[in-house]
């Protein structure tokens, strides 16, 4: 490495911008990752078969080196290109619900063992494991369990596994080269509405343009907007686990909307 520039830290990992001996600019994430970097690298390579992602240059137990993404301001045309690319990613598909590598979201492990259908996968591999970590009150946990029991009834028409990012909030979309570039995936075979709901959870520039272009390429099943709270249960639980009870009210509003479907 010819030179490095410190970019701060995230989830306890050191972030740097570097220049390799051959002049390439890179992004470096380092620290005790306990499998996180290998999982992220596997997800990036898998997503990269269908959509623009940073190239994995090195993935070790304590360091991940990726190609540098030169960022720019987003615009309507870039948003539409991203929407079409996201549709292409989802349509590429997956062999099943889950993934052949261990999952992580931030530093939290996720079980990627396969399930036969998405409602079972979402309940057993995503929502219930994080509900048990979230220190919810007994009444909140009971309401969430009732929502889980409804998953098969409210998930919409069955769809084949989609190739999804899995943690698609706005911070994991970098704008570069006139399009969106995905970073920090929790990639797995899942339901494509999960990515759409995550984009909606914390907002994204020109989201209406993204969704409009997506719908033109790969229209979601009827009623997908009403199912957004269903797909937001897991990311909201993750935020409760990571950041505490400040996200409890948002979580329970989503639970109530799922129970009302």
């Amino acid at each position: 490495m010819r030179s490095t520039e410190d970019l701060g830290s995230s989830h306890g990992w050191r972030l740097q911008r570097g220049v390799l001996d051959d002049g390439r600019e890179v992004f470096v994430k380092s620290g005790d990752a306990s499998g996180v970097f290998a999982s992220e690298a596997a997800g990036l390579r898998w997503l990269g078969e269908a959509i623009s992602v940073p190239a994995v240059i090195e993935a070790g137990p304590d360091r991940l080196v990726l190609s540098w993404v030169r960022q720019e301001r987003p615009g309507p045309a870039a948003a539409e290109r991203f929407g079409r690319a996201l549709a292409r990613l989802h349509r590429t598909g997956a062999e099943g619900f889950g993934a052949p590598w261990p999952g992580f979201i931030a530093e939290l492990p996720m079980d990627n063992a396969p399930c036969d259908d998405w409602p079972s996968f979402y309940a057993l591999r995503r929502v219930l494991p994080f509900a048990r970590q979230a220190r919810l009150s007994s009444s909140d946990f009971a309401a969430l369990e009732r929502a889980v029991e409804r998953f098969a009834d409210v998930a919409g028409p069955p769809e084949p596994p989609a190739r999804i990012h899995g943690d698609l909030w706005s911070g994991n979309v970098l704008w570069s080269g006139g399009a969106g570039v995905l970073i920090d995936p929790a990639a797995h075979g899942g339901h494509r509405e999960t990515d759409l709901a995550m984009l909606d959870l914390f907002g994204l520039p020109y989201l209406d343009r993204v969704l409009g272009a997506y719908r033109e390429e790969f229209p979601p099943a009827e009623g997908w907007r009403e199912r957004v709270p269903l797909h937001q249960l897991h990311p909201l639980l993750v935020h409760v686990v990571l950041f505490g009870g400040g996200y409890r009210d948002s979580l329970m509003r989503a639970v109530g909307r799922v129970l009302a479907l």
Side-chain angles (χ1 to χ4, degrees):
M1 193 85 65
R2 182 191 302 173
S3 64
T4 59
E5 173 190 353
D6 187 55
L7 300 176
S9 63
S10 176
H11 298 283
W13 302 310
R14 185 182 184 187
L15 309 179
Q16 294 175 298
R17 179 180 182 179
V19 179
L20 300 180
D21 293 339
D22 61 10
R24 285 180 294 168
E25 291 182 283
V26 294
F27 173 77
V28 183
K29 188 186 297 186
S30 59
D32 182 9
S34 302
V36 175
F37 295 162
S39 179
E40 181 176 341
L44 283 170
R45 292 182 178 117
W46 190 58
L47 297 180
E49 295 173 5
I51 197 172
S52 177
V53 299
V56 178
I57 296 170
E58 177 187 335
D62 58 1
R63 188 168 81 159
L64 179 66
V65 182
L66 307 173
S67 60
W68 182 259
V69 177
R70 292 182 175 272
Q71 296 187 61
E72 61 194 25
R73 294 179 64 86
E80 291 173 5
R81 290 189 194 97
F82 174 58
R84 290 190 290 271
L86 185 62
R88 184 171 66 249
L89 172 69
H90 291 166
R91 200 165 45 225
T92 300
E95 292 186 2
F97 294 106
W101 54 81
F104 288 89
I105 189 163
E107 69 269 29
L108 301 176
M110 294 194 301
D111 187 355
N112 275 342
C115 287
D116 291 337
D117 58 78
W118 181 79
S120 298
F121 178 83
Y122 193 52
L124 299 176
R125 307 289 188 250
R126 294 296 182 260
V127 173
L128 289 175
F130 284 84
R132 297 183 185 108
Q133 300 176 56
R135 298 182 181 179
L136 300 173
S137 68
S138 58
S139 60
D140 285 351
F141 190 88
L144 182 56
E145 282 189 312
R146 291 196 300 273
V148 169
E149 291 171 357
R150 301 205 65 221
F151 283 0
D153 297 326
V154 301
E159 292 198 358
R163 188 170 304 208
I164 72 170
H165 179 281
D167 188 15
L168 197 53
W169 71 289
S170 59
N172 285 342
V173 181
L174 303 184
W175 300 97
S176 181
V181 178
L182 300 183
I183 62 168
D184 289 346
H188 63 280
H191 199 302
R192 61 193 179 112
E193 290 177 15
T194 296
D195 276 352
L196 302 182
M198 190 68 172
L199 286 174
D200 184 71
L201 183 57
F202 297 115
L204 182 80
Y206 302 101
L207 180 57
D208 58 334
R209 296 293 191 101
V210 173
L211 295 177
Y214 183 98
R215 291 196 302 271
E216 289 178 4
E217 292 287 327
F218 193 18
E222 184 177 352
W224 72 273
R225 288 190 179 277
E226 287 70 32
R227 292 188 292 273
V228 164
L230 168 66
H231 292 270
Q232 290 179 345
L233 291 178
H234 176 241
L236 287 169
L237 278 165
V238 169
H239 277 71
V240 173
V241 173
L242 285 173
F243 305 117
Y247 286 92
R248 179 265 172 196
D249 289 349
S250 296
L251 169 66
M252 297 314 298
R253 281 195 295 271
V255 168
R257 291 173 67 185
V258 172
L259 289 171
L261 287 174

